Coordinates of all heavy atoms in Angstrom, one line a residue:
V63 N -95.9 33.4 -49.2 CA -96.7 34.6 -49.5 C -97.4 34.3 -50.8 O -96.9 33.5 -51.6 CB -95.9 35.8 -49.6 CG1 -95.3 36.2 -48.2 CG2 -94.8 35.7 -50.6
A64 N -98.6 34.9 -51.0 CA -99.4 34.7 -52.2 C -98.6 35.3 -53.4 O -97.9 36.4 -53.2 CB -100.7 35.4 -52.1
P65 N -98.7 34.8 -54.6 CA -98.0 35.3 -55.8 C -98.6 36.6 -56.4 O -97.9 37.2 -57.2 CB -98.1 34.1 -56.7 CG -99.3 33.4 -56.4 CD -99.5 33.5 -54.9
A66 N -99.8 36.9 -56.0 CA -100.5 38.1 -56.6 C -99.9 39.3 -55.8 O -99.9 39.3 -54.6 CB -101.9 38.0 -56.5
A67 N -99.5 40.3 -56.6 CA -99.0 41.5 -55.9 C -100.1 42.3 -55.2 O -101.2 42.5 -55.7 CB -98.3 42.4 -57.0
L68 N -99.8 42.8 -54.0 CA -100.7 43.6 -53.2 C -100.6 45.1 -53.7 O -99.6 45.5 -54.4 CB -100.3 43.5 -51.7 CG -100.5 42.2 -51.1 CD1 -99.9 42.1 -49.8 CD2 -101.9 41.6 -51.2
P69 N -101.5 46.0 -53.3 CA -101.4 47.4 -53.6 C -100.1 48.0 -53.2 O -99.6 47.8 -52.1 CB -102.5 48.0 -52.9 CG -103.6 46.9 -52.8 CD -102.7 45.7 -52.5
W366 N -94.5 28.9 -56.0 CA -94.7 30.4 -56.0 C -94.0 30.9 -57.3 O -92.8 30.8 -57.5 CB -94.0 31.0 -54.8 CG -94.2 32.4 -54.5 CD1 -95.3 33.0 -54.1 CD2 -93.2 33.5 -54.7 NE1 -95.1 34.4 -53.9 CE2 -93.9 34.7 -54.3 CE3 -92.0 33.6 -55.2 CZ2 -93.2 35.9 -54.4 CZ3 -91.3 34.8 -55.2 CH2 -92.0 36.0 -54.8
A367 N -94.8 31.6 -58.1 CA -94.3 32.1 -59.4 C -95.0 33.3 -59.9 O -96.0 33.3 -60.7 CB -94.4 31.0 -60.5
P368 N -94.7 34.5 -59.3 CA -95.4 35.7 -59.6 C -95.2 36.2 -61.1 O -96.1 36.9 -61.6 CB -94.9 36.8 -58.7 CG -94.3 36.0 -57.6 CD -93.8 34.7 -58.1
I397 N -96.3 42.4 -63.1 CA -96.3 41.2 -62.2 C -97.5 40.3 -62.7 O -98.6 40.8 -62.6 CB -96.4 41.5 -60.7 CG1 -95.2 42.3 -60.3 CG2 -96.5 40.2 -59.9 CD1 -93.9 41.6 -60.2
G398 N -97.2 39.2 -63.2 CA -98.4 38.3 -63.6 C -99.1 39.0 -64.7 O -100.4 38.8 -64.9
I400 N -99.9 42.1 -65.1 CA -100.6 43.3 -64.5 C -99.5 44.4 -64.3 O -98.5 44.1 -63.7 CB -101.4 43.0 -63.3 CG1 -102.5 41.9 -63.6 CG2 -102.1 44.2 -62.7 CD1 -103.2 41.4 -62.4
A406 N -92.9 45.7 -56.0 CA -94.1 44.9 -55.8 C -94.0 44.3 -54.4 O -93.0 43.9 -53.9 CB -94.2 43.7 -56.9
I407 N -95.2 44.1 -53.7 CA -95.1 43.5 -52.4 C -96.1 42.3 -52.4 O -97.2 42.4 -53.0 CB -95.6 44.6 -51.4 CG1 -95.5 44.0 -49.9 CG2 -96.9 45.2 -51.6 CD1 -95.6 45.0 -48.9
F408 N -95.7 41.3 -51.8 CA -96.5 40.0 -51.7 C -96.7 39.6 -50.2 O -95.8 39.8 -49.4 CB -95.7 39.0 -52.4 CG -95.2 39.2 -53.8 CD1 -94.0 39.8 -54.0 CD2 -96.1 39.1 -54.9 CE1 -93.5 40.1 -55.3 CE2 -95.7 39.4 -56.1 CZ -94.4 39.9 -56.4
G409 N -98.0 39.1 -49.9 CA -98.3 38.8 -48.6 C -99.4 37.8 -48.6 O -99.9 37.3 -49.6

Side-chain angles (χ1 to χ4, degrees):
V63 297
L68 299 172
W366 191 75
I397 298 290
I400 299 172
I407 184 169
F408 306 93

